[in-house]
Amino acid sequence: MDRFTWTSGLLEIKDTLVIQQRGVRIYDGEEKIKFDAGTLLLSTHRLIWRDQKNHECCMAILLSQIVFIEEQAAGIGKSAKIVVHLHPAPPNKEPGPFQSSKNSYIKLSFKEHGQIEFYRRLSEEMTQRRWENMPVSQSLQTNRGPQPGRIRAVGIVGIERKLEEKRKETDKNISEAFEDLSKLMIKAKEMVELSKSIANKIKDKQGDITEDETIRFKSYLLSMGIANPVTRETYGSGTQYHMQLAKQLAGILQAPLEERGGIMSLTEVYCLVNRARGMELLSPEDLVNACKMLEALKLPLRLRVFDSGVMVIELQSHKEEEMVASALETVSEKGSLTSEEFAKLVGMSVLLAKERLLLAEKMGHLCRDDSVEGLRFYPNLFMTQS
Amino acid sequence: MAMSFEWPWQYRFPPFFTRLQPNVDTRQKQLAAWCSLVLSFCRLHKQSSMTVMEAQESPLFNNVKLQRKLPVESIQIVLEELRKKGNLEWLDKSKSSFLIMWRRPEEWGKLIYQWVSRSGQNNSVFTLYELTNGEDTEDEEFHGLDEATLLRALQVLQQEHKAEIITVSDGRGVKFF
């Protein structure tokens, strides 16, 4: 406990705070001392303890003074602890709370938990030994390299240290990689701002931008994934991207649609298309926007929205109204049918089967029997009989 | 009671008992069929008034064999439709019981007045009982008509100045002009 020196608690330049934890008690060896409730701070260079009630009571030891550290698990009524084994105090140490102590270790008791993370960080700092690379002020002693008499930690501690070093290396690589990404994101933001301002200029027709340039510029924007800001989301004059996508969809969906009787629900389309793409999946919005343009682009498919809100893609050649006539026949043959029964008979999905029956009802060919037994459709005898 | 009554084909058609059909045209047909069923049912069973609760459970709206009942909200709509057509009158403010007239009062009034004229009995006085239960009217359609409906028919004639409802010895009567 005589290794501590009084300190202001302020960190020097390059001495960076790593982690701090409240509710820490210090033991001199196994003995409880008066420093029972404080905030423990770990920096790259030092371990600092500051009394929670009296902030002026603040002490620190250099990390270089630590030989090794151990964890002591919590017990019944006992908090988890970190045992810190220390080098002997150097002769010219600054004054601290204790002049002398018979113990060469202290214990830090984490009464408000946080021991696990603190231990991890402390071990890291011990491994990285950042204080060696970043000397702060001359007044702080730095223990460089091994001193005679220093206990070299081998065995498990040595292995742990190697693992730490490896982890540190990986961490560093990842940080560097993310550094680039954050730089990229900053640049991307700038680019978006720039493109927005140019786009506005186009809109206001300020500056001498020719028609050709405008088109070229717009395509640059699109290739960067920034949609045309001038004509967004207007049905029939959507973005280039959606137009291209619509054409692509027409190609992909022709065969599947024919297999399925000329009609598919939009959710089926979504699954099918994304499965085919594998990567660069389509968002539902993009799919819907592209589908809205199918008819305008005179492609062989179209988007249709039923009264219930269900959206389907049909082949242009598909005439749902005609299918209704055959549905009526089927229902008449069987007397009455539910959506599920009809779907099974015809080999359609229940969703589309229901839509077809509802359409038939809308057209007056069928009527409904709605009871606790479910929804059944009958030929519309109200109209045909008497 | 329902033995001689012939149910229309709709009575055996489950969609008939469904809450009114969503397709507008179909719905109109369904509603019309219900109205005429109610009137013919009441006519045959000589039922001139009913409560809504009775109606719900009566075979009229509850086809036990088919296991279908017209939901009460739809019954209300049918009754309202009959009221609009002049065949129904609510007997209380809470619309729990009603008078059902398979012929509208105007129609009855006409029939009665025609008989009066035919038989040359203008300027005669009748008691209400005589009109509906007298020998002379045995062949007439309005024979056996319930008093409530009869009164309403006579009130129409009264408005047309073809009759006047008067009080006679032990009840009411009517004088025809």
Side-chain angles (χ1 to χ4, degrees), chain A residues 150-269:
Chain A
R150 178 183 161 165
I151 308 159
R152 201 145 251 273
V154 290
I156 291 178
V157 177
I159 295 171
E160 277 183 349
R161 188 172 278 197
K162 278 213 183 69
L163 286 171
E164 278 297 330
E165 275 173 10
K166 192 167 177 206
R167 204 179 59 78
K168 160 192 150 197
E169 193 61 42
T170 315
D171 252 354
K172 190 162 153 242
N173 289 337
I174 293 174
S175 309
E176 277 173 1
F178 274 113
E179 241 174 51
D180 290 339
L181 194 65
S182 31
K183 282 199 192 112
L184 177 64
M185 281 170 70
I186 294 169
K187 281 280 171 246
K189 193 174 169 201
E190 284 172 21
M191 285 180 73
V192 170
E193 291 303 328
L194 177 63
S195 58
K196 269 193 188 151
S197 84
I198 296 179
N200 281 331
K201 285 207 181 110
I202 292 175
K203 198 172 103 183
D204 302 337
K205 293 210 171 62
Q206 280 170 14
D208 306 285
I209 308 177
T210 67
E211 182 74 40
D212 186 48
E213 279 176 305
T214 308
I215 294 173
R216 267 212 330 227
F217 180 69
K218 282 184 187 176
S219 74
Y220 291 155
L221 285 183
L222 287 166
S223 68
M224 288 193 286
I226 300 162
N228 187 332
V230 178
T231 58
R232 247 198 104 72
E233 252 137 56
T234 44
Y235 188 105
S237 64
T239 67
Q240 273 288 343
Y241 171 63
H242 291 136
M243 277 189 230
Q244 292 306 324
L245 186 55
K247 289 183 190 149
Q248 200 181 69
L249 286 173
I252 300 172
L253 295 172
Q254 186 80 26
L257 275 170
E258 278 164 17
E259 275 170 41
R260 288 164 178 71
I263 186 166
M264 276 171 83
S265 75
L266 200 59
T267 35
E268 285 177 272
V269 169

